[in-house]
Amino acid sequence: MKLHGYYRSSTSYRLRIALELKGLAFENVPVNLLESAQKDAAFTSRNPFASVPMLEADGRDRAQSMALIEWLDEAYPAKPLLPADIEARYTARELAYAIATELHAPLNLPVLKYLKEEYGKSPGEIGEWYRHWLARTLVPVEQRLEQLGTGDFLFDAPGLFETVLVPQLYNARRFEYDLSASPRMTRIEAACLALEPFRRAHPDNQNDNPQRETS
């Protein structure tokens, strides 16, 4: 398998976590979003969405991270990311898709660049935008976790929800979002980051992280 992605992309990060949790070997192929490499003709001829991640697997190029994660679970059923119980699967999807569908669209790089270039928004104003939309979704996610009485993970081990949550909290910290009122989420995050699959998937440990290359 080859995973075409960007070290700081939350969607690429969630795919790395999913692959690591399932114990699937893959090659990380950098796509520099800051240089618009995802828009190159050679890339868009394979992935018309012009987005990352793109996964080369079983003779096909696949895009869209959430569809990819569920495909991985179906194609490689060992070490499932979704629980067997139908209600537990629903809960995992409810929380994961709340983050993936409500936050990715208003907070991805093209939107932030558009705010800057077309509307002249300052870094401070863009940060306010980012934190506003984070709160709109992360506050109710925290409330749902409290209702469920979660501990270190949503269920007994990390799965679909954690693959989506951890990258989003990584980006939340980059934009100085206050997580002090999110003890359930941060407890899950800490428990995940103590595990080797999450450490290997972390942006700090990717071959296209410029700080890693120069350290």
Side-chain angles (χ1 to χ4, degrees):
M1 290 187 190
K2 292 185 179 181
L3 176 62
H4 298 252
Y6 182 62
Y7 78 102
R8 213 163 58 182
S9 153
S10 61
T11 51
S12 301
Y13 188 1
R14 68 177 66 142
L15 248 293
R16 293 195 302 267
I17 294 171
L19 288 162
E20 294 285 359
L21 285 174
K22 294 187 76 64
L24 298 172
F26 66 97
E27 176 187 348
N28 190 59
V29 181
V31 179
N32 193 327
L33 301 186
L34 299 184
E35 296 177 355
S36 298
Q38 77 279 14
K39 297 179 182 179
D40 289 348
F43 189 81
T44 58
S45 67
R46 300 174 60 184
N47 175 12
F49 296 102
S51 64
V52 294
M54 180 179 77
L55 185 69
E56 287 185 60
D58 297 345
R60 180 176 173 181
D61 297 324
R62 293 178 170 86
Q64 300 298 334
S65 64
M66 298 305 290
L68 274 166
I69 290 172
E70 296 223 27
W71 175 80
L72 285 173
D73 236 17
E74 294 173 357
Y76 301 91
K79 300 180 181 178
L81 299 173
L82 281 164
D85 176 73
I86 187 171
E87 290 303 320
R89 287 203 306 276
Y90 168 78
T91 298
R93 287 181 170 123
E94 177 190 54
L95 291 166
Y97 277 87
I99 293 173
T101 62
E102 294 180 11
L103 290 181
H104 183 68
L107 302 184
N108 67 10
L109 184 60
V111 171
L112 303 184
K113 290 178 67 176
Y114 191 80
L115 289 171
K116 177 183 177 181
E117 295 170 1
E118 298 297 326
Y119 289 97
K121 296 301 180 182
S122 68
E125 290 171 321
I126 292 172
E128 289 180 12
W129 166 278
Y130 206 101
R131 290 186 291 273
H132 168 81
W133 293 108
L134 281 173
R136 188 178 182 276
T137 294
L138 294 186
V139 168
V141 167
E142 178 70 21
Q143 292 170 344
R144 178 66 89 204
L145 295 176
E146 185 175 358
Q147 290 174 349
L148 294 167
T150 55
D152 285 349
F153 308 113
L154 178 59
F155 299 115
D156 294 334
L160 175 68
F161 171 63
E162 288 80 3
T163 69
V164 176
L165 176 69
V166 169
Q168 192 62 67
L169 295 189
Y170 170 84
N171 278 344
R173 286 191 169 83
R174 288 180 53 224
F175 284 84
E176 300 179 338
Y177 179 76
D178 183 5
L179 287 163
S180 62
S182 306
R184 300 277 180 176
M185 285 190 290
T186 53
R187 176 178 174 175
I188 291 172
E189 178 194 36
C192 288
L193 293 177
L195 301 176
E196 189 59 29
F198 285 86
R199 286 196 289 265
R200 288 195 297 266
H202 195 279
D204 288 353
N205 298 320
Q206 304 313 305
N207 59 352
D208 56 330
N209 184 329
Q211 292 183 345
R212 179 176 182 268
E213 291 176 354
T214 58
S215 61

